[in-house]
Amino acid sequence: MNAQLEKGLRESAKRAGELKLLCAPSDAEVFIDGYSVGACHQFEGKPKGLTLSKGMRQVVVKKNGFLPYFGYVDSDGTMAALTIELVPQNAGSAP
């Protein structure tokens, strides 16, 4: 690998942020900027969270039978944590 490429990769890694997710249910699917990145339990911070490039990122968490979560994280090279509890779709509805 050439020196310029190595330097660019090191600089990029410095700017990347990390997102720790704690979700209920833990097997809910996580989307970043519209792309599926895996299940929530994969990003609990053990051993690490989800690496995000710098900038504003849309976070969506979905699971069948639950209302989706929509939010935004400004990844600025630091660690952020979200605790998300999805609400069942039929919660609060009359029988």
Side-chain angles (χ1 to χ4, degrees), residues 3-39:
Q4 187 174 12
L5 179 57
E6 286 181 22
K7 181 181 177 185
L9 290 173
R10 281 193 307 273
E11 290 300 315
S12 178
K14 287 180 187 176
R15 292 188 303 266
E18 191 172 330
L19 178 61
K20 179 179 173 182
L21 294 170
L22 298 172
C23 303
S26 65
D27 63 341
E29 189 172 8
V30 179
F31 295 82
I32 301 295
D33 295 335
Y35 295 96
S36 175
V37 295

Side-chain angles (χ1 to χ4, degrees), residues 7-76:
K7 181 181 177 185
L9 290 173
R10 281 193 307 273
E11 290 300 315
S12 178
K14 287 180 187 176
R15 292 188 303 266
E18 191 172 330
L19 178 61
K20 179 179 173 182
L21 294 170
L22 298 172
C23 303
S26 65
D27 63 341
E29 189 172 8
V30 179
F31 295 82
I32 301 295
D33 295 335
Y35 295 96
S36 175
V37 295
C40 207
H41 64 83
Q42 295 175 277
F43 310 112
E44 291 178 345
K46 302 170 191 170
K48 64 185 279 183
L50 176 63
T51 302
L52 298 176
S53 58
K54 189 172 182 174
M56 188 67 71
R57 302 284 164 243
Q58 181 188 50
V59 178
V60 177
V61 179
K62 297 181 186 180
K63 181 170 173 76
N64 284 338
F66 293 83
L67 298 174
Y69 167 86
F70 294 92
Y72 290 88
V73 173
D74 188 5
S75 178
D76 62 356

